[in-house]
Amino acid sequence: MGTDVAEVAGAVPPRYSCQVHQSMCTELMKLIERIEEIYPRIEAARPGWASGIRLLCKLGGAIERAKQLLQYCSESSRLYLAYNGDVIVSRFERSRTLLEQCLGQIKDMVPVMLSIEISSIIDDLVAAKFSLVCSDEEAGKAIRDLLQHYTSSSHFVEYEIGALQIVASRLCITNPVSLLIEKRSIKKLLHRVGDSDPKKKNLLYLLHLLKKYRDLIPNQATNPDSQPDGGRRILDDNSVYSNSARIGSCPARELLNM
């Protein structure tokens, strides 16, 4: 029993990390860091008084939404993130658009030098590429094929095994720790969906696959997944998330009452 407890404790993923859609998470994280860096200066400039302060609060909300997306990618099931790859890409693009719109409205309300910095960030937001990398795309396609063509035939069992091994390899689910983290992530998602939600059937099937074929998932000791964090990339807890409470609460609202 003690061994099981130790294994579970060691399998707890870091608070801010991501394995699937890592390139998109990194790109968005860098942009958020740059916006947060100039946020206090925008706030100090009191852009456009009441209207500008409202826009500043809107920007704070856009930053929080972007962080929530990063948080979702760090905590959710790797299999489910890959399965919903196109949906996740759309969410990143919407987050980028909202940040771009907020900054675009604010940049003409602040001093020239600050406006130039904001324009540079807007240009980088527009140029940012949010798309699926090959490994995530391949894993997502394999998972969708499994869910769409499921049967109980012996022939399909062979297909299940082959597909799951490919998916596990692409998503770095390659040792007992990463497998345990993935099963726990799926269980968390199951707690959030209702019995009538179509997602539940898919999640139950994915969990069933991991349990049924756990001994057939390749164990790659040299894979980054063999690290204590389960192979997930840890986002800097002292950068993009450090100002979360301050910006999220939008202290600029206090200026409206001055």
Side-chain angles (χ1 to χ4, degrees), residues 175-224:
N175 63 34
V177 172
S178 57
L179 179 60
L180 180 60
I181 290 174
E182 179 60 20
K183 288 191 291 187
R184 291 179 61 187
S185 296
I186 293 177
K187 289 177 181 178
K188 287 181 180 179
L189 288 176
L190 281 169
H191 287 311
R192 299 174 186 172
V193 300
D195 292 336
S196 59
D197 194 323
K199 297 176 185 176
K200 186 165 187 176
K201 181 179 179 181
N202 291 339
L203 289 169
L204 286 171
Y205 176 63
L206 294 177
L207 184 60
H208 163 73
L209 285 179
L210 293 179
K211 291 179 177 179
K212 183 178 180 181
Y213 301 119
R214 62 182 180 274
D215 294 332
L216 299 178
I217 293 178
N219 191 345
Q220 300 175 6
T222 58
N223 191 283

Side-chain angles (χ1 to χ4, degrees), residues 21-32:
H21 310 316
Q22 186 178 112
S23 61
M24 292 194 294
C25 289
T26 301
E27 184 79 12
L28 183 59
M29 178 187 68
K30 290 178 180 178
L31 291 166
I32 293 173

Side-chain angles (χ1 to χ4, degrees), residues 6 19 32 44-45 47 59 66 81 85 94 111 113 119 121 166 179 187 191 196 199 202 236 239 247 251 255 258:
Q19 178 64 36
I32 293 173
L59 174 61
L81 284 171
R94 288 199 301 270
M113 295 307 296
S119 295
I121 295 175
I166 291 174
L179 179 60
K187 289 177 181 178
H191 287 311
S196 59
K199 297 176 185 176
N202 291 339
D236 186 357
S239 56
I247 293 181
L255 297 177
M258 291 180 63

